[in-house]
Amino acid sequence: QVTLVESGGGSVEAGGSLRLSCQASGSIRRFNDMAWYRQAPGKQRELVAEVIRGGTPTYLDAVKGRFTISRDNAENTVYLQMNSLKPEDTAVYLCNVEVVIDEYGTTWWGGGQGTQVTVFS
């Protein structure tokens, strides 16, 4: 069983920065895929950033050049560094990961509860 806990959200003035964390705990051999989504009130969920099988990260056009997704293997933690934040970045941010949980290559895929990011002008 794997659990994910997001943290790092908060309220920040436009132009500021936040770093979101998504810590995975449980039986984890390695990460396959990782992604950050966001859900704003009244809007569809958006895929903000993802890395598939350790490849090149891809980003939502609206955040390119401002957000960076990364991972700390030793800490089993996925990060989203968010710079030059704008009011339209306000949303609940959620991480999703696929991890390998045993020597047979069994995978687990799931997400956390999310962390609120509010950007005010």
Side-chain angles (χ1 to χ4, degrees):
Q1 184 66 22
V2 177
T3 58
L4 299 176
V5 177
E6 295 108 330
S7 62
S11 293
V12 63
E13 191 172 10
S17 298
L18 287 172
R19 188 178 78 158
L20 305 184
S21 300
C22 174
Q23 183 160 30
S25 60
S27 177
I28 299 168
R29 293 295 184 108
R30 67 177 184 273
F31 281 76
N32 279 346
D33 307 331
M34 57 186 189
W36 284 95
Y37 292 80
R38 67 185 182 187
Q39 178 86 59
K43 295 186 177 180
Q44 288 190 329
R45 181 172 293 193
E46 294 181 304
L47 175 59
V48 175
E50 69 175 348
V51 178
I52 303 298
R53 295 296 195 269
T56 302
T58 58
Y59 297 93
L60 182 70
D61 283 348
V63 307
K64 282 181 181 177
R66 301 188 296 122
F67 290 12
T68 303
I69 187 171
S70 63
R71 183 178 74 232
D72 183 329
N73 289 325
E75 298 292 330
N76 285 335
T77 301
V78 178
Y79 298 100
L80 185 68
Q81 178 67 45
M82 307 187 296
N83 299 326
S84 302
L85 282 160
K86 304 176 180 180
E88 51 264 43
D89 294 319
T90 295
V92 174
Y93 284 72
L94 309 103
C95 71
N96 272 73
V97 301
E98 181 184 279
V99 296
V100 176
I101 60 172
D102 61 26
E103 64 269 33
Y104 306 107
T106 305
T107 58
W108 179 92
W109 180 90
Q113 296 298 311
T115 184
Q116 176 70 46
V117 171
T118 302
V119 185
F120 57 91
S121 56

